[in-house]
Amino acid sequence: EQLQYVFYSTNKAVLTAGEGCYKLKINGRNVPPKKISVGERNVLGLCYFFAKLFSNKKAENKYQDETLIVIDDPVSSFDSGNRLGVMSLLRHQFCSIQKGNANSRVLVLTHDLRSAFDLVKIYSELNNGKGGQKHFFELSNKQISERKVSNEYKRLLESVYKYAMGRTSEDDEYFESSIGNVMRRLIEAFASFCYNKNFEELMCHEGVMKSIPQEKRTY
């Protein structure tokens, strides 16, 4: 089930029962794990981790025990599609763990700053858009310090404004080559700006949820 969740497909990667083992099928064909990509092996390993973590437990109460979960760099060697699927899986699992037992904790380590920002957003979303204080730290030069989450879209808007006003200097070449993509990203974000809420609050907004079909709201 988790493989289907990550790949958004019922046959992209499937485990079937063999003789004393499981066999991996990719798009309907038997494939040994060593023949798939590093990213796909990491997805398979992460799904096995959660399956093993909750083995021998009934589905309805598998999250109720107090648990400390440590995951080291779960998002690596992925293309954008698989990366999004893995983040979605982590969000689903973290939400279930939090609801199952309020004392359970999840510690995620990563060297990828983009992944760190995504994880902070997941944390904020699971707390109804309230990220709290002093929950995002960076280890650098053997020192732990609080790290502020930057507002990326504010920075992009400022970049577009600066470009439009002709206030560029040493960054001229960068702006010329990237301004189109920056503007595209802002247009994609326009829907959330219309609601005058940040993205995490928007995902919990009753009006937005009502516009989503019932069978898709859980996802």
Side-chain angles (χ1 to χ4, degrees):
E1 291 178 351
Q2 294 180 73
L3 288 171
Q4 293 177 23
Y5 201 100
V6 172
F7 293 120
Y8 309 110
S9 171
T10 57
N11 66 345
K12 163 67 177 178
V14 179
L15 292 173
T16 59
E19 296 182 4
C21 66
Y22 288 102
K23 293 186 177 180
L24 178 64
K25 287 182 178 289
I26 301 293
N27 295 323
R29 297 185 296 109
N30 287 323
V31 177
K34 65 181 180 180
K35 293 294 185 180
I36 62 178
S37 69
V38 173
E40 289 171 333
R41 286 202 298 271
N42 287 342
V43 171
L44 185 61
L46 185 64
C47 291
Y48 259 117
F49 169 77
F50 283 116
K52 185 71 174 176
L53 188 66
F54 303 117
S55 62
N56 300 319
K57 295 182 180 180
K58 294 183 179 180
E60 60 269 22
N61 58 12
K62 65 181 181 179
Y63 296 101
Q64 71 178 13
D65 294 336
E66 182 178 343
T67 308
L68 171 62
I69 298 172
V70 181
I71 304 177
D72 183 24
D73 212 14
V75 183
S76 60
S77 305
F78 295 137
D79 57 30
S80 59
N82 289 347
R83 187 181 187 283
L84 180 60
V86 169
M87 279 298 178
S88 297
L89 174 63
L90 291 176
R91 182 200 177 282
H92 173 68
Q93 290 289 1
F94 294 170
C95 180
S96 299
I97 291 166
Q98 177 176 288
K99 289 181 178 179
N101 190 311
N103 292 320
S104 290
R105 295 290 182 267
V106 178
L107 174 63
V108 182
L109 309 174
T110 180
H111 66 271
D112 179 51
L113 192 58
R114 180 184 174 190
S115 296
F117 285 139
D118 286 344
L119 290 165
V120 171
K121 290 179 180 178
I122 289 175
Y123 172 80
S124 180
E125 185 181 340
L126 295 182
N127 287 276
N128 297 317
K130 299 175 182 178
Q133 299 293 324
K134 298 185 182 301
H135 287 102
F136 185 26
F137 299 95
E138 180 180 32
L139 175 63
S140 179
N141 297 322
K142 301 180 181 180
Q143 297 291 325
I144 293 179
S145 58
E146 184 181 359
R147 175 75 184 245
K148 292 183 178 180
V149 181
S150 61
N151 186 326
E152 181 180 11
Y153 289 106
K154 179 181 178 182
R155 180 176 57 81
L156 293 178
L157 279 169
E158 290 173 346
S159 296
V160 172
Y161 178 79
K162 183 184 294 185
Y163 181 83
M165 297 298 291
R167 297 175 183 172
T168 59
S169 54
E170 69 277 358
D171 294 326
D172 282 350
E173 185 176 346
Y174 168 78
F175 279 115
E176 288 290 345
S177 63
S178 65
I179 194 66
N181 187 51
V182 169
M183 293 176 69
R184 177 187 60 78
R185 293 173 63 190
L186 286 171
I187 292 172
E188 290 175 349
F190 178 71
S192 64
F193 293 157
C194 286
Y195 287 88
N196 195 28
K197 293 180 178 293
N198 63 43
F199 183 76
E200 296 89 292
E201 290 176 315
L202 187 67
M203 294 299 291
C204 307
H205 190 271
E206 184 178 356
V208 175
M209 295 300 293
K210 285 183 177 178
S211 68
I212 301 173
Q214 181 68 42
E215 64 272 17
K216 295 183 178 180
R217 289 182 190 176
T218 300
Y219 185 76

